[in-house]
Amino acid sequence: MPVSSKPCRLSILILLALLWTTTGAAGQSHRLVPLDSYAYDYIDRLQRRGHLLSLHPTALPYTYGEVESALDAVDTKTLTGPSRRWFDALTGEFSRDASRRRTVFGAELQPGARLSTSPRLDPLRPAFDGEATLEAGSISVFPNVSGRLFAEYGPIVAQAGLRFDLFYRDDPDGLAAANRLITRNEDAYAGIDTRFVSAYVGRLSHHWAPRGETGLLISDNPAGYDQLYLRLGSRRFGIRSILGELDSMTGDGRFTGAAGADSVGSSIRRFVSAHRFDWRPSRHVAVSLMESTVYSSATSGLSLKYLNPLALHAFAVDGRPKNDENNGILAGMLWLHAGRWTLQGQLLVDDLDIARTTGEPAAVALSGNVVFAGLERADLGADLTAVATRTYNTHQPEGRYTHLLRGLGAPYTDYAQAGAYSTVYFVPWHLDVAVTPRIDVLFQGAGEIHMPYPDSQDHADTILLGTVAQVIRPALQLRLQHGRTWWLQLDAGPAFIRNERNIRSNDRTVFTMTVALTTRLTAGDSVSH
C-alpha cells in the first residue's frame, strides 16, 4: 500500500521553519570565511590579547556572522596601537552596517602567486629532485587565482568557488588534484546556518587547531574534499561533525586519484567521519574531545552510522553490522588564555597497546604551543610537534589517513619539530607590517605514512626510524598587508641539513625561501530587508 508523501513534506516544512526561526541575529552573513583569508591572522592576534574570545580559537572556519558578533562585543576603549589597527581592518571586512542590508549576490576574485626555492613549499623539508612546471631560474613559481560567487537569503547561503593553482599539478607530496585547466572547485557549498544548528554540503576545508599551528586530527593540509558538515549546540557546549568522501583506491591497492577509471578491478571507496565535542566553561578555556574514522570497502557510501555525531566511534565501528574496514583515531585538545598568555595542547592516539598484547609500538602524536602577548607591539612564542612512526598508518592501505596522498591531519609522520620566535608589529604609512625572527629544529625519521605497515613481530622504533635527518633553520619571516587589497608573506633563511633524505653523511647547507603574494577584488549587490 503506497504511503502518502504529505506527512513527509509536512515534516520537512516544519523542520525548515524551525531552522528559520532559530536563526541568529538578523542581517548577519552565514558564509564561511575561507581559510586563506587574511582575517584569521588579525583574529588570532586579537585573541592572544583577550579579544574576540567568543570565537572558538581551535575550530576554523568561522562564519562572517560569528565574526561580526564578536567584533560588536569588543570594548574599543581598550584597543591601542596595532590592536586598534587590526580591529579597524576587521570591521571594514565584516561591517555590521553592510550586513543589516541583506547581501543577496556577491563576488570575489583573488589572484596571487607563490614562489619557492624548491618544489615543496615547506622550507624545513626542501625537495630539490623535482621540477616545477614554471620556473624562474632556480625558483619554482606557482600562480593561482580563486573566484567565488555567493548568494544569501535569510539563513540560507550558497557559494560557487573555483581555484586555478599550478601547485595542484606540481605538489611533490600529493597527487595532482586538478585536471581541466588545473582548476578545481574549492569553497563551493550550500548551507543553512542558525543559532543552534547549521548544515553545509559541498567542498570545504577545516582546521581544528589555532591559526598557523598543526592540526593533528583535521587540518587544512589536504586539498578540500566533498563533505556534509554539521554543527549543533551553543558556544558553551557544541558538536561539530564531518562526513567526507576521500579519493578511492584501485582494486590492486594503488592510489591514483582516478580509481574509478581503473580497469584492474573494483575500486575501494574511502570516506572520513570526524566528530568533536566542545566545552567552554569560560571564554578563556576550551576543551575538545575528538574522534575520526576512515572507513572503506568496494561498496562503502554515505553512512548513517558514521554521520551520527552521538555514535561514539570507539564503541560503534567494530560492532555488528560491520560493513566496512576502518581505522579509528581519538584525540583531545586544551586551549587556555590567562592574562597575556595563551597555551594550547593536543594529544592524538591512533593505536595504543595498553594491555601489551601485540608488542607494537605506540602510534601517537602530540602538538602544542605557548604565546606571550604581554607587549603591545610584540609576541613571543614557542611550539612543538611530535608524530610517531606508525601514526595515521594501518595494516589496510586503504585506511591510511590521507586524501590524494596528503595527510588529513599532520602533514608528515615520524618526526619531532620544535620552534621559537618573536614577532614585532609596525604600522608605517598605510601598511601593516609583522617581522618575525624564528628558529626551528627538525628531526625527521625514515618512516612515512605510505610505507608498508610493519608486522607486529618486525622491529620498528616508536619514533625516528632508521637514519634520522636533522635540520636547523634560523629564518626571518615578513608579512606586509595593505588594507584589504593585497598582502605578502616571506620566509627566508639558511637550512643546515644533516643526513638529507635519511642518507647518512649526506650533509649540506642551503638557502630556502618561500614568498606568497595575494591580491583581492570584491563586488556585491545588496537589498534591504
Side-chain angles (χ1 to χ4, degrees), residues 55-99:
L55 299 172
H56 199 298
T58 69
L60 311 183
Y62 306 134
T63 67
Y64 277 77
E66 287 176 320
V67 181
E68 291 165 6
S69 295
L71 289 169
D72 269 359
V74 173
D75 181 0
T76 57
K77 296 178 181 178
T78 64
L79 300 174
T80 59
S83 295
R84 182 67 197 217
R85 184 70 171 261
W86 306 330
F87 176 83
D88 290 343
L90 290 174
T91 54
E93 177 74 14
F94 302 92
S95 171
R96 286 300 301 273
D97 290 337
S99 69

Side-chain angles (χ1 to χ4, degrees), residues 42-52 83 86 90:
Y42 290 158
I43 292 171
D44 185 48
R45 297 175 192 176
L46 288 169
Q47 286 178 329
R48 295 174 183 177
R49 287 157 175 80
H51 307 292
L52 306 182
S83 295
W86 306 330
L90 290 174

Side-chain angles (χ1 to χ4, degrees), residues 13-342:
L13 290 174
I14 293 174
L15 177 61
L16 290 175
L18 287 172
L19 287 172
W20 194 283
T21 56
T22 58
T23 186
Q28 290 187 358
S29 172
H30 304 279
R31 291 178 59 217
L32 298 171
V33 183
L35 292 182
D36 61 357
S37 171
Y38 73 87
Y40 288 107
D41 290 290
Y42 290 158
I43 292 171
D44 185 48
R45 297 175 192 176
L46 288 169
Q47 286 178 329
R48 295 174 183 177
R49 287 157 175 80
H51 307 292
L52 306 182
L53 294 184
S54 61
L55 299 172
H56 199 298
T58 69
L60 311 183
Y62 306 134
T63 67
Y64 277 77
E66 287 176 320
V67 181
E68 291 165 6
S69 295
L71 289 169
D72 269 359
V74 173
D75 181 0
T76 57
K77 296 178 181 178
T78 64
L79 300 174
T80 59
S83 295
R84 182 67 197 217
R85 184 70 171 261
W86 306 330
F87 176 83
D88 290 343
L90 290 174
T91 54
E93 177 74 14
F94 302 92
S95 171
R96 286 300 301 273
D97 290 337
S99 69
R100 290 190 176 99
R101 293 175 57 83
R102 175 63 61 197
T103 301
V104 291
F105 296 105
E108 294 178 346
L109 188 65
Q110 195 166 288
R114 291 179 289 182
L115 293 80
S116 175
T117 51
S118 85
R120 181 179 290 134
L121 297 176
D122 184 349
L124 278 176
R125 297 174 173 86
F128 297 105
D129 52 353
E131 292 186 0
T133 301
L134 183 61
E135 294 183 333
S138 60
I139 302 297
S140 300
V141 182
F142 307 105
N144 59 79
V145 60
S146 296
R148 303 180 183 105
L149 295 173
F150 57 88
E152 295 190 68
Y153 181 71
I156 299 174
V157 59
Q159 176 170 285
L162 288 175
R163 180 178 175 88
F164 159 83
D165 195 338
L166 203 55
F167 191 70
Y168 287 145
R169 173 185 292 171
D170 297 337
D171 181 1
D173 297 313
L175 292 171
N179 185 10
R180 295 183 179 89
L181 302 177
I182 323 177
T183 300
R184 72 192 307 262
N185 286 301
E186 296 281 14
D187 298 310
Y189 56 84
I192 183 167
D193 175 42
T194 72
R195 182 178 178 183
F196 297 111
V197 181
S198 301
Y200 293 84
V201 59
R203 183 165 292 178
L204 304 173
S205 293
H206 301 264
H207 191 67
W208 287 358
R211 169 75 159 184
E213 300 298 330
T214 302
L216 293 180
L217 192 81
I218 295 293
S219 77
D220 58 356
N221 177 61
Y225 45 93
D226 301 299
Q227 62 189 256
L228 174 63
Y229 168 53
L230 299 176
R231 180 193 60 82
L232 307 172
S234 63
R235 290 176 177 175
R236 183 173 292 272
F237 298 99
I239 299 174
R240 291 173 171 85
S241 184
I242 296 170
L243 182 58
E245 183 174 7
L246 307 177
D247 57 320
S248 297
M249 174 179 278
T250 63
D252 59 347
R254 294 176 293 119
F255 287 102
T256 66
D262 197 288
S263 59
V264 173
S266 298
S267 299
I268 299 174
R269 302 190 67 194
R270 304 170 64 244
F271 294 81
V272 61
S273 173
H275 307 313
R276 62 177 287 167
F277 306 89
D278 295 319
W279 175 45
R280 299 199 68 180
S282 78
R283 294 161 62 90
H284 301 277
V285 180
V287 181
S288 300
L289 298 178
M290 303 175 288
E291 59 178 358
S292 180
T293 297
V294 170
Y295 67 94
S296 57
S297 75
T299 58
S300 291
L302 295 179
S303 167
L304 295 179
K305 177 172 75 172
Y306 288 102
L307 176 62
N308 180 2
L310 298 181
L312 302 180
H313 290 174
F315 299 94
V317 295
D318 287 324
R320 291 182 174 85
K322 182 180 178 183
N323 301 319
D324 315 273
E325 291 293 341
N326 59 75
N327 177 25
I329 298 176
L330 300 175
M333 179 159 43
L334 175 65
W335 179 92
L336 298 171
H337 180 267
R340 291 300 178 94
W341 290 90
T342 304

